[in-house]
Amino acid sequence: MIHSLSGGVLSDGEVYTFAKVDVAGTPCWYLAPFRVEVGANVLVPFGRENAEGVVVRTENCTRQTAPVPVGRAKRIVRILS
């Protein structure tokens, strides 16, 4: 683990899976706490409620390459059937 001089963690070596989800025409990035495939219908936090969306892309990232800050990223709630 590498620390910055200001006390923050720069790298923890962990790989995170992010999913780009289309929610009502708005693409948003979410952490995927479980395996999810492109085309899957998922339930995600959107605004003040949960909404249904479709996974359009997935990426495995580190903290440095994540599309949004890992600490502030919202998570996929569940996969819908």
Side-chain angles (χ1 to χ4, degrees):
M1 181 179 316
I2 301 170
H3 292 273
S4 73
L5 294 176
S6 63
V9 175
L10 294 178
S11 175
D12 58 8
E14 190 169 349
V15 176
Y16 302 89
T17 301
F18 278 86
K20 189 175 195 177
V21 179
D22 184 339
V23 182
T26 303
C28 303
W29 286 101
Y30 293 91
L31 269 173
F34 38 77
R35 184 177 167 89
V36 64
E37 301 287 334
V38 172
N41 291 322
V42 293
L43 188 66
V44 294
F46 189 73
R48 294 179 181 250
E49 299 181 4
N50 289 337
E52 186 175 335
V54 178
V55 176
V56 295
R57 182 176 176 176
T58 61
E59 286 189 17
N60 292 322
C61 310
T62 63
R63 283 188 179 271
Q64 292 79 21
T65 62
V68 296
V70 173
R72 287 189 248 156
K74 295 178 181 176
R75 296 175 181 266
I76 295 174
V77 176
R78 65 184 169 101
I79 298 173
L80 302 172
S81 54

